[in-house]
Amino acid sequence: KYSRHQHYGFVMLGAPGVGKGTFSKLLAKKFDANVITSGDLLRRAAKEAKDKDRGRYLQQCIASGQLVPDHIVLPMIIDQLRDQTKSFILDGFPRTLHQAERIYAEYHFDLAIYLTLPDDVLTEKLLGRRVCNECGRTFNVASICKGDIIMPSMKPVKDGICDDCGSPLGIREDDTIEVVEQRLKLFHEIMTPILDFYKEKGTLLEFEVKTGIDDTLRLIQDINNSLERNR
Ligand code: ATP
């Protein structure tokens, strides 16, 4: 069972837009963990790269929805993990079997949490996403009701303005219909070997998202059951 005194290692797997970021933040509170988000690290590295060619290259990978190569991503993640004194949640990582194997071999690891939603819901969510240019908080202007999936919209109080810091909201450059389709296609291609890897290790927890944040209690219960089973 979950204990505050223990350190946990989790990875959050799931398609673009499934809510990895939102659930990672909620779980971080519960498990007193740091969230390491590969997409954010890469977006920052693209902006701040001293080597301009490298910056442009990263920028181009992200804008087109292609994977950044392992020799760039892995050292960045390992760098973050090296100094961890707390539990950690990796969000958006691993995306290749090699990434999965490296982290599994070298760091304490408990569970791979795989969040799922149908592709048509993911597309609507991604196209409805708005991000604060200043503080990075995300909102969603799409409200989705499909069968037993009900995603209430997470609209800002004032249209186009961040509730937290009052700055303008924008659209992520890869949240366009063309790039969304490319990201979803790539996701399905790359995920099978990674899911098989964790399944074989007995550490895969698959979780069907139904309502967004209201699913948290159910997810925490599932995580506790899996931790108990794997103890
Ligand atoms: P979401 O839309 O839910 O944030 P996403 O998977 O589409 O999920 P990010 O995780 O933010 O978006 O990733 C954005 C881009 O950063 C990817 O399209 C890819 O170019 C790059 N990237 C992120 N993580 C990795 C990784 N582990 N390996 C390779 N490339 C990555």
Side-chain angles (χ1 to χ4, degrees):
K1 256 256 156 36
Y2 163 68
S3 144
R4 280 237 150 217
H5 306 294
Q6 202 172 317
H7 286 173
Y8 296 94
F10 298 125
V11 303
M12 289 298 248
L13 307 172
V18 76
K20 298 185 293 288
T22 306
F23 282 106
S24 295
K25 274 197 207 108
L26 291 163
L27 292 180
K29 279 202 192 121
K30 168 75 186 168
F31 289 93
D32 190 27
N34 286 325
V35 182
I36 300 166
T37 306
S38 56
D40 286 349
L41 288 173
L42 286 166
R43 276 184 286 275
R44 194 172 330 131
K47 251 198 227 155
E48 295 171 3
K50 286 203 188 78
D51 176 346
K52 293 295 164 218
D53 284 341
R54 185 184 169 105
R56 261 194 296 274
Y57 172 68
L58 289 176
Q59 174 61 27
Q60 188 203 331
C61 288
I62 296 167
S64 62
Q66 309 289 334
L67 287 189
V68 173
D70 284 348
H71 71 268
I72 298 180
V73 182
L74 260 167
M76 283 174 54
I77 298 293
I78 288 170
D79 213 40
Q80 296 284 319
L81 285 174
R82 195 173 291 126
D83 304 324
Q84 285 298 319
T85 50
K86 274 172 73 160
S87 299
F88 66 84
I89 300 171
L90 295 177
D91 164 12
F93 182 100
R95 279 213 182 43
T96 63
L97 186 58
H98 180 59
Q99 290 178 8
E101 287 170 341
R102 272 296 293 278
I103 297 305
Y104 190 87
E106 290 177 32
Y107 297 90
H108 175 82
F109 179 82
D110 292 288
L111 269 188
I113 301 159
Y114 175 43
L115 305 173
T116 65
L117 266 178
D119 274 9
D120 55 343
V121 175
L122 293 167
T123 305
E124 273 190 57
K125 276 193 74 190
L126 287 163
L127 296 179
R129 176 157 65 186
R130 301 291 179 271
V131 187
C132 176
N133 298 329
E134 245 358 272
C135 70
R137 177 164 169 194
T138 59
F139 297 85
N140 209 300
V141 297
S143 17
I144 297 161
C145 185
K146 282 207 166 102
D148 60 348
I149 297 172
I150 300 166
M151 299 270 151
S153 83
M154 295 200 291
K155 281 190 188 143
V157 175
K158 251 194 186 167
D159 262 5
I161 300 291
C162 178
D163 289 359
D164 283 350
C165 69
S167 303
L169 301 178
I171 297 178
R172 232 169 78 173
E173 64 178 342
D174 53 349
D175 284 344
T176 60
I177 184 70
E178 296 79 19
V179 184
V180 161
E181 280 171 359
Q182 152 68 21
R183 283 155 67 204
L184 285 174
K185 183 168 159 276
L186 178 66
F187 171 77
H188 292 299
E189 284 165 17
I190 62 174
M191 244 16 232
T192 310
I194 297 173
L195 294 175
D196 287 347
F197 173 80
Y198 288 120
K199 218 180 276 171
E200 198 196 298
K201 305 280 183 204
T203 56
L204 185 70
L205 166 62
E206 194 165 331
F207 184 83
E208 273 182 57
V209 178
K210 296 279 179 209
T211 61
I213 43 182
D214 285 347
D215 292 324
T216 316
L217 275 182
R218 187 166 55 93
L219 178 58
I220 288 173
Q221 199 139 39
D222 285 4
I223 292 173
N224 271 329
N225 291 340
S226 299
L227 291 174
E228 179 86 345
R229 233 189 342 265
N230 292 350
R231 204 162 53 161

